Amino acid sequence: MGTGQPSPTARGTFPGFSEEAGLDLPALTPRLEQQITARLISRDFDAWATTAARVGHCAKPIRLRGHSQTIDTRTGEVLSTFSSADAPLGVLHVRCGNRRASECPSCSRVYAADTFHLIRAGVTGGKGVPERVSDNPLVFATLTAPSFGLVHGTRNGRPCRPYTPKGLPAVCEHGGATVCHATHNEHDELLGQPLCRDCYDYRGHLVWQWWAPELWRRFTITVRRALARHLGVPESRLPDVVTVQYAKVAEYQLRGLIHFHALIRLDGPKTDDGFAPAPAGATAALLAQVIEQAVPGVTFDAPPMHDGDPIRRLGFGAQLDVRPIKTKNRTDDPDRELVPEQVAGYLAKYATKSATDSTKENPHLRRLRATIAEISDRIDADAREDGTPLRDNPYGLLGKWRHMLGFRGHFSTKSRRYSLTLGRIRGRRARFQRLVAEANRQGRTLDVRDLDDLLADDAQEATLVIGHWSYAGSGWETEGDAELAKAAAARAREYAQWRAAAFKAK
Ligand SMILES: [Zn+2]
Ligand SMILES: [Zn+2]
Ligand SMILES: [Zn+2]
């Protein structure tokens, strides 16, 4: 990696990717080393390697025992049977399906790819979404969190905070500076850290994060209301004229606060199959204007966390970015336009991250988690004192979301009619695999020219799979196996990247 364009050697093999090439394993403890060695020389290594390859080198596969039959729905004939006892290791392994790259690199890549396709389908059509959807007005918006105190930042190569903000002394009451003349590079550990942690409003920060999903909900309502006003229809009749669809992801900033990135699209009237053309007058420019005007007015009065805590009026930060997306029929604002692939890739990447993936451990994050613990203790004490159950306190579960720094929303969500669902994408993949297996069994070529028809979810599927399965555990037998699987997944990925690069170079 990172050594430039790989090239074939004289023998036609490729450096680093041949059968003999080693795996890049992380620094190993003696125990891990012993486990890995034991696996490599074990008699069932081939069975293990086959199993690992079948689950795409998932780091923590789920083990199932049982059996299933594939039945032809027209004739009732049993086409095939499968039992976990026939699997190479005598038990069926299936992917863990984890979204997070830090948990399972392999499954998170599948998740990212699926997310990419479903986000892209909502922009350009495809995968069962009509192409005409690309004519509908579409913008990419980033909604930010407000400031809870001065933090260090890169500022595009300019000095961090050269001036003391208006109304603040040059030195805070804790003896900390309110200016920073340094120019931070992107790897600087200070990035996102407060200039003074004692000045930073940790409680306000956490209350905002806790209610961020509510702010988003209010934002969508405000946008619909404003649209109704602009189009001159009563709000209750808006769905007869225009509907708002979106796909959004939450991304952690270095300061431990999330931002929302969203694709927001205007469709025509609500219909059963969705994606109707937007009415005349509903343009990307109007949508962008409506969003820009709506955001500052979105507020929520957050209830106190415990006795003596104030009510806080929450809103989004002043930083707001709204841009039209370029699709084949639109050229609203060429300078600020984004390409669909860019945006879909961007959103898909963030969908696989979490609090701990995007930010390194540091005193600021520790303080955030300590504040959550402190608040939770206080809430518990209040509950014990006056006997109100924890579930009645809107912050009763805050402690449970400590690892997410208090964000309890979903990382990637979309409205019902934005595009297809992850479930449908997975269904298409399963059908594809079944079609391939069927073609192999009958010894014929799979005609991929009408693949879209073949993969369309059809209630009258020709085959039905009936199975009885029970959970037998999760994860590989040893930590060593998990490390081997991860290393193999990384190698497979490097190979895919190398192949893609080699292809391009031709
Ligand atoms: Zn996995
Ligand atoms: Zn600084
Ligand atoms: Zn201070």
Side-chain angles (χ1 to χ4, degrees), residues 125-357:
K127 310 250 169 210
V129 176
E131 235 174 77
R132 64 178 146 80
V133 78
S134 64
D135 294 335
N136 290 353
L138 181 71
V139 301
F140 183 60
T142 297
L143 276 63
T144 62
S147 166
F148 293 97
L150 307 176
V151 297
H152 298 280
T154 52
R155 327 284 173 220
N156 294 321
R158 287 191 300 274
C160 176
R161 294 196 157 274
Y163 311 109
T164 292
K166 233 189 186 159
L168 288 186
V171 173
C172 75
E173 57 180 304
H174 314 99
T178 51
V179 290
C180 171
H181 296 289
T183 304
H184 304 292
N185 72 37
E186 57 181 315
H187 305 295
D188 199 319
E189 286 181 1
L190 279 175
L191 293 181
Q193 301 259 343
L195 269 64
C196 172
R197 279 193 291 282
D198 292 321
C199 282
Y200 193 86
D201 180 11
Y202 283 92
R203 297 165 64 89
H205 173 133
L206 288 167
V207 170
W208 188 91
Q209 192 112 293
W210 187 246
W211 293 109
E214 175 64 15
L215 282 172
W216 173 266
R217 194 182 71 84
R218 287 174 177 236
F219 162 71
T220 60
I221 295 171
T222 312
V223 165
R224 284 193 193 100
R225 239 172 237 166
L227 274 172
R229 238 186 355 261
H230 277 278
L231 296 171
V233 288
E235 219 183 302
S236 59
R237 280 210 43 238
L238 191 68
D240 302 337
V241 180
V242 75
T243 56
V244 182
Q245 305 298 337
Y246 67 84
K248 80 168 200 303
V249 298
E251 181 214 348
Y252 278 97
Q253 305 294 293
L254 287 169
R255 57 182 169 144
L257 277 164
I258 56 133
H259 280 179
F260 287 125
H261 301 290
L263 277 166
I264 305 171
R265 194 182 69 216
L266 286 185
D267 286 4
K270 199 170 168 184
T271 57
D272 280 347
D273 30 332
F275 316 111
T283 61
L286 171 73
L287 178 59
Q289 187 198 336
V290 160
I291 292 170
E292 273 164 5
Q293 287 170 358
V295 169
V298 176
T299 59
F300 173 64
D301 288 343
M305 296 186 282
H306 49 69
D307 294 345
D309 191 47
I311 294 175
R312 291 175 179 83
R313 174 155 292 186
L314 309 176
F316 287 107
Q319 252 186 59
L320 172 70
D321 189 35
V322 188
R323 302 177 192 213
I325 304 290
K326 182 194 188 107
T327 61
K328 64 182 189 319
N329 297 331
R330 274 201 308 267
T331 46
D332 314 83
D333 187 355
D335 292 343
R336 279 162 58 80
E337 276 175 349
L338 295 162
V339 183
E341 267 73 15
Q342 261 174 349
V343 180
Y346 188 59
L347 291 188
K349 186 174 123 213
Y350 287 118
T352 64
K353 304 253 170 172
S354 74
T356 43
D357 300 334

Side-chain angles (χ1 to χ4, degrees), residues 1-9 13-17 494-495 497-503 505:
M1 295 288 286
T3 52
Q5 197 70 25
S7 62
T9 64
T13 56
F14 306 104
F17 296 117
E494 282 165 20
Y495 175 70
Q497 285 170 342
W498 169 82
R499 207 175 43 180
F503 240 136

Side-chain angles (χ1 to χ4, degrees), residues 58-60 95-97 104 107:
C58 168
K60 205 181 174 193
R95 279 177 171 280
C96 73
C104 180
C107 292

Side-chain angles (χ1 to χ4, degrees), residues 54 66-72 76-87 92 434 437 441 463-469:
R54 278 189 192 165
H67 55 87
S68 69
Q69 294 185 319
T70 306
I71 294 160
D72 187 322
E77 187 195 348
V78 177
L79 297 171
S80 62
T81 59
F82 174 78
S83 161
S84 56
D86 305 332
L92 179 67
R434 245 177 359 249
R441 204 175 52 240
T463 58
L464 177 70
V465 181
I466 300 175
H468 300 277
W469 295 99

